[in-house]
Amino acid sequence: MMWDRFKSFLIADINIILHDKTLLARSLAPFVLIIILRFLFTPLSAFIFSKTGFLLDNYYSLAAITFVSVIAILPGMLYAFVLLGEKDLHIVHVEEVFLADRYKFLLMRMTISAFISFVLVMITIILAKPVPTEGWLRTLFAALLLSIQSPFVFLFICSLAEKKIEGLALSRLYWIFLIAVPSGLLLHHPWNYFTFFSPLYWISWAWIVKSPVESLIYGSIAMILTSVTAIMLYSHFFKKNVG
């Protein structure tokens, strides 16, 4: 029963994405970013160096970690727009689920977005090697932390937006969390304090810091920030849709 429901919603989601050019473009964005990192970054760096003497390769890990962070949250954004699109269209099966089994429906999409995010992050890491000095255990730790951000951004958009146009505005606002990654890695004390609000900032440091203890601490901070905010968003979502 649950598997049949899962398949029906997955098929419905795929159909929605395939018939919406904007959603389709968003679904292809992770692969574009992977291609840029894997095949275009080095030639671009060589070209810039030949023209200016600036070696972009020195910032490869910074750029790659930022790109991976973007890729990690894209499935959550995609699913948020699918859900908001269904609300705009008043799709029947969504209304039925919202009346009968809202919690399982929401958790299902959050789980799917996290799984897709993890797969995409691992593919990117294998192909692009953002932090080649770290072993597989640290890499897996970072990938898990990053994949959790996908259902978080899903909640962030869906709990605060009523329509796709509002969701679009919120998705742009979320880029502040992403900007915190390169900014926080580049800035020195005390300016990096302004990026402490972003879980992605702490995940980045958990990935690159040499000390395993510090890595666990930074990862824990990211989890606490994500969990506390997600609980508040989750509560707001159901008060708005159920209450």
Side-chain angles (χ1 to χ4, degrees), residues 50-218:
S50 67
K51 297 294 183 180
T52 66
F54 176 75
L55 189 59
L56 189 62
D57 276 341
N58 291 337
Y59 297 89
Y60 176 77
S61 286
L62 177 67
I65 291 171
T66 303
F67 274 38
V68 173
S69 299
V70 174
I71 289 170
I73 58 94
L74 285 176
M77 283 191 176
L78 181 67
Y79 263 98
F81 282 109
V82 169
L83 182 61
L84 292 174
E86 289 172 339
K87 285 185 178 181
D88 287 346
L89 295 171
H90 304 290
I91 293 178
V92 175
H93 80 79
V94 177
E95 297 297 332
E96 292 175 349
V97 172
F98 263 59
L99 289 171
D101 213 354
R102 296 175 177 92
Y103 289 94
K104 288 182 180 179
F105 176 71
L106 183 70
L107 289 173
M108 184 184 296
R109 276 188 163 159
M110 290 172 63
T111 302
I112 293 172
S113 69
F115 174 75
I116 295 173
S117 175
F118 179 78
V119 171
L120 289 173
V121 167
M122 287 304 299
I123 291 173
T124 309
I125 290 173
I126 291 170
L127 293 177
K129 297 179 175 60
V131 190
T133 56
E134 296 298 342
W136 67 269
L137 189 60
R138 181 74 67 86
T139 297
L140 183 62
F141 180 54
L144 288 170
L145 290 173
L146 286 168
S147 63
I148 293 171
Q149 298 306 305
S150 191
F152 173 78
V153 73
F154 172 83
L155 276 177
F156 177 79
I157 294 174
C158 290
S159 64
L160 300 176
E162 292 288 347
K163 298 181 179 180
K164 286 178 72 174
I165 189 169
E166 296 175 0
L168 181 60
L170 285 168
S171 69
R172 290 173 177 171
L173 178 63
Y174 190 83
W175 284 92
I176 297 173
F177 289 82
L178 289 163
I179 293 172
V181 175
S183 301
L185 294 177
L186 286 173
L187 295 174
H188 297 287
H189 297 290
W191 300 109
N192 63 332
Y193 294 163
F194 292 104
T195 62
F196 280 10
F197 68 92
S198 174
L200 293 169
Y201 165 82
W202 295 105
I203 294 171
S204 300
W205 276 109
W207 195 356
I208 66 175
V209 71
K210 292 182 179 180
S211 169
V213 175
E214 288 186 46
S215 178
L216 287 173
I217 292 173
Y218 296 154

